[in-house]
Amino acid sequence: MSGPCGGQPGAIPRGGKAHGKGGFPSKRKMPLKGLRKGGYILVSYREKKAPGMLDEKVDYEGTIVDKRVGWDNRESYVELDDCLRLNADGEIVAKLGKMRLFDAFIDECEEVEKVERPL
């Protein structure tokens, strides 16, 4: 079954015109769309390693203090305050303070309840 405007219900909104650079369809995901400043979010982020190495998936949690959705996904970002870096088990690895995460490397982003976690 499809949503009210067609497509898959619950799919991440995609932005841009029908064709991106070079005439190819746009593949841009917009995971930051609909999130408000002051909201507490969990972000799955890909961190670049050295050339030839696989990207590492890292989870961050924090309160949105600034957000920008620009023309290109490398211009778009979300800035988190009281940012926590989490491991695969959801435990705190590091407290980072304020951190800016760029849309180009965000895999998933969702609003969550703030939970006390062990260090």
Side-chain angles (χ1 to χ4, degrees):
M1 189 164 178
S2 62
C5 297
Q8 297 296 320
I12 294 176
R14 296 192 181 268
K17 298 182 179 181
H19 296 285
K21 292 181 181 177
F24 299 107
S26 176
K27 297 207 187 286
R28 180 168 179 206
K29 294 188 272 182
M30 297 176 67
L32 304 177
K33 192 171 183 179
L35 297 175
R36 301 191 193 297
K37 290 182 184 176
Y40 196 78
I41 62 170
L42 172 67
V43 177
S44 293
Y45 197 72
R46 283 179 289 126
E47 287 193 342
K48 293 284 186 186
K49 294 293 178 188
M53 300 282 292
L54 294 174
D55 295 346
E56 181 182 359
K57 181 183 166 277
V58 181
D59 289 337
Y60 292 101
E61 215 174 66
T63 306
I64 300 173
V65 290
D66 191 20
K67 177 179 109 166
R68 180 177 193 278
V69 178
W71 181 256
D72 186 27
N73 63 359
R74 293 184 187 265
E75 292 175 359
S76 302
Y77 64 85
V78 63
E79 194 167 319
L80 302 178
D81 195 25
D82 299 327
C83 185
L84 304 173
R85 182 180 175 144
L86 306 175
N87 65 12
D89 298 326
E91 298 170 336
I92 298 172
V93 175
K95 292 187 178 186
L96 304 171
K98 198 176 269 193
M99 184 159 186
R100 185 176 288 184
L101 303 171
F102 288 90
D103 188 14
F105 305 108
I106 294 176
D107 285 331
E108 294 179 34
C109 186
E110 62 182 335
E111 199 161 344
V112 295
E113 295 287 324
K114 188 170 186 175
V115 179
E116 293 299 319
R117 298 179 185 271
L119 265 174

